[in-house]
Amino acid sequence: MEPVLYTVLPGNTLWGIANFFGTTTEEIIKLNDLKEPELIYPNQVLKIPVNKVMAPRYYAVRPDDTLFSVAMRYNLDVNDLARLNNLSNPNIIYPGQILMLRP
């Protein structure tokens, strides 16, 4: 298993990160040798033990995201992503918009 590198975002918790990647907080703590696991901070890079990364069901668009960049991030087809979200113009998405990544 090759760990995935994850950059902590504002508001993230270890529990939320573990839940997202299908692992446990204990495994993340151990892999990163975290002495104070309740003190993670934005832009901190954590190694996440995962067997298979699966796209989350929903994604909140961030500044500078494009539909193409979101599709590439999760290994999805951009046309399928546009159809799934009923986007009449796939070139227009905005920060805070919630996209469905998988049914």
Side-chain angles (χ1 to χ4, degrees):
M1 170 200 62
E2 185 71 23
V4 170
L5 296 179
Y6 177 76
T7 303
V8 176
L9 299 172
N12 279 161
T13 63
L14 272 187
W15 181 87
I17 295 168
N19 188 47
F20 179 81
F21 284 101
T23 188
T24 65
T25 56
E26 292 79 14
E27 290 174 330
I28 295 172
I29 291 166
K30 182 178 177 183
L31 185 60
N32 291 277
D33 194 30
L34 297 176
K35 304 297 184 215
E36 297 184 59
E38 64 279 359
L39 297 178
I40 63 171
Y41 52 88
N43 297 318
Q44 179 180 8
V45 177
L46 296 173
K47 293 178 274 187
I48 310 296
V50 295
N51 291 323
K52 178 184 175 192
V53 177
M54 178 185 229
R57 186 150 190 206
Y58 298 100
Y59 176 80
V61 176
R62 301 177 192 154
D64 299 324
D65 275 343
T66 64
L67 199 62
F68 180 78
S69 69
V70 173
M72 293 301 99
R73 180 177 299 133
Y74 294 106
N75 196 30
L76 302 170
D77 180 271
V78 71
N79 294 318
D80 291 344
L81 193 54
R83 264 191 304 281
L84 185 61
N85 289 280
N86 298 316
L87 299 176
S88 57
N89 185 345
N91 295 311
I92 300 175
I93 60 173
Y94 53 90
Q97 181 177 0
I98 303 299
L99 296 176
M100 182 180 283
L101 301 185
R102 56 187 173 88

